[in-house]
Amino acid sequence: CCIGGRRGRMAAPVKILVCGDAVGQLDTLFARVATVNSKAGPFACLFCVGEFFQADGEGVGDPLKEYKSGAKKAPIPTYFICGQEYGPKLDQGSTRQEMAPNITYLGSQGIEELHGLRVAFLSGSFPLHASGQMELMAPNALVQRHSVQKPVDLLLTAQWPLGVSMFLQGAPPPQLESELSKVGTSAAAMVAKRLAPRYHFAGGEGAFFE
């Protein structure tokens, strides 16, 4: 993805990579990123949306262990959010953390300037129709951070916005065609509406669609 930055009209476009649910398969992900970066790069960074970690279970270890030790390294700066699964030493209240060299968890919600882009993000898994005070705490906090004087370039969420089918250009993925009215969450939809980002990337459905 090539996106023009906001640092003046003559700012060069920023080349970034975005991936959906990594589900703990980091070796596979970074091998693919390294290949793409060598052939079509250089890319400034990688943003990961959806489920970055695999669900806890027997035999599931820390996918970042060898990256933390330095035995392996992400090929480009990588920023991720979380959905239902937070992995080792992270939870819904966690703030920004560098998990390993070149791998950073952005936090539960926020807006940051990254590589010339203004990036908003929302971690967490929300119900289809989020309405409770606790359910909307993080989405509301993100909206309150926003200033119309500082437009958002990218919005990253772990879930699709509810109602995304209203504005589709083309046919939806076959596996979701009959379920689009039940996909996503109103929390992501509310944030997207209020922030009006240039681009919104979301994961969590195991399908690619734009």
Side-chain angles (χ1 to χ4, degrees), residues 35-46:
T35 299
V36 173
N37 193 50
S38 64
K39 292 182 177 180
F43 291 90
C45 63
L46 166 68

Side-chain angles (χ1 to χ4, degrees), residues 115-171:
H115 304 277
L117 299 172
R118 189 163 176 80
V119 181
F121 52 89
L122 177 66
S123 289
S125 178
F126 302 89
L128 188 70
H129 297 285
S131 58
Q133 182 177 357
M134 293 300 296
E135 292 173 350
L136 293 174
M137 183 177 295
N140 285 337
L142 175 54
V143 168
Q144 291 172 5
R145 290 176 182 269
H146 176 53
S147 168
V148 293
Q149 284 75 37
K150 296 180 178 180
V152 170
D153 294 304
L154 306 181
L155 170 61
L156 312 176
T157 62
Q159 294 170 281
W160 289 19
L162 181 64
V164 66
S165 59
M166 297 171 59
F167 306 103
L168 294 181
Q169 297 179 359

Side-chain angles (χ1 to χ4, degrees), residues 10 17 29 77 81 109 138 159 165:
M10 302 303 292
L17 291 174
L29 170 63
I81 57 175
Q109 54 80 23
Q159 294 170 281
S165 59

Side-chain angles (χ1 to χ4, degrees), residues 122 139 142-143 146 152 155 157 159-162 185-201:
L122 177 66
L142 175 54
V143 168
H146 176 53
V152 170
L155 170 61
T157 62
Q159 294 170 281
W160 289 19
L162 181 64
T185 173
S186 62
M190 182 272 287
V191 169
K193 181 178 180 180
R194 297 288 295 275
L195 270 58
R198 295 168 67 194
Y199 299 90
H200 181 181
F201 295 99

Side-chain angles (χ1 to χ4, degrees), residues 49-197:
V49 297
E51 297 291 349
F52 188 75
F53 293 105
Q54 184 178 358
D56 290 336
E58 186 175 350
V60 176
D62 182 358
L64 289 169
K65 182 177 180 180
E66 291 184 287
Y67 295 91
K68 292 175 180 177
S69 69
K72 298 178 181 179
K73 185 178 180 180
I76 60 177
T78 299
Y79 304 91
F80 71 93
I81 57 175
C82 293
Q84 286 186 310
E85 308 300 331
Y86 279 82
K89 299 182 179 180
L90 289 177
D91 58 37
Q92 291 180 331
S94 297
T95 56
R96 179 187 173 109
Q97 291 187 40
E98 183 178 348
M99 306 299 294
N102 259 10
I103 303 177
T104 300
Y105 170 61
L106 287 172
S108 60
Q109 54 80 23
I111 301 177
E112 291 192 21
E113 296 282 345
L114 297 169
H115 304 277
L117 299 172
R118 189 163 176 80
V119 181
F121 52 89
L122 177 66
S123 289
S125 178
F126 302 89
L128 188 70
H129 297 285
S131 58
Q133 182 177 357
M134 293 300 296
E135 292 173 350
L136 293 174
M137 183 177 295
N140 285 337
L142 175 54
V143 168
Q144 291 172 5
R145 290 176 182 269
H146 176 53
S147 168
V148 293
Q149 284 75 37
K150 296 180 178 180
V152 170
D153 294 304
L154 306 181
L155 170 61
L156 312 176
T157 62
Q159 294 170 281
W160 289 19
L162 181 64
V164 66
S165 59
M166 297 171 59
F167 306 103
L168 294 181
Q169 297 179 359
Q175 66 268 44
L176 297 177
E177 190 168 4
S178 62
E179 299 292 330
L180 277 176
S181 63
K182 302 176 183 178
V183 166
T185 173
S186 62
M190 182 272 287
V191 169
K193 181 178 180 180
R194 297 288 295 275
L195 270 58

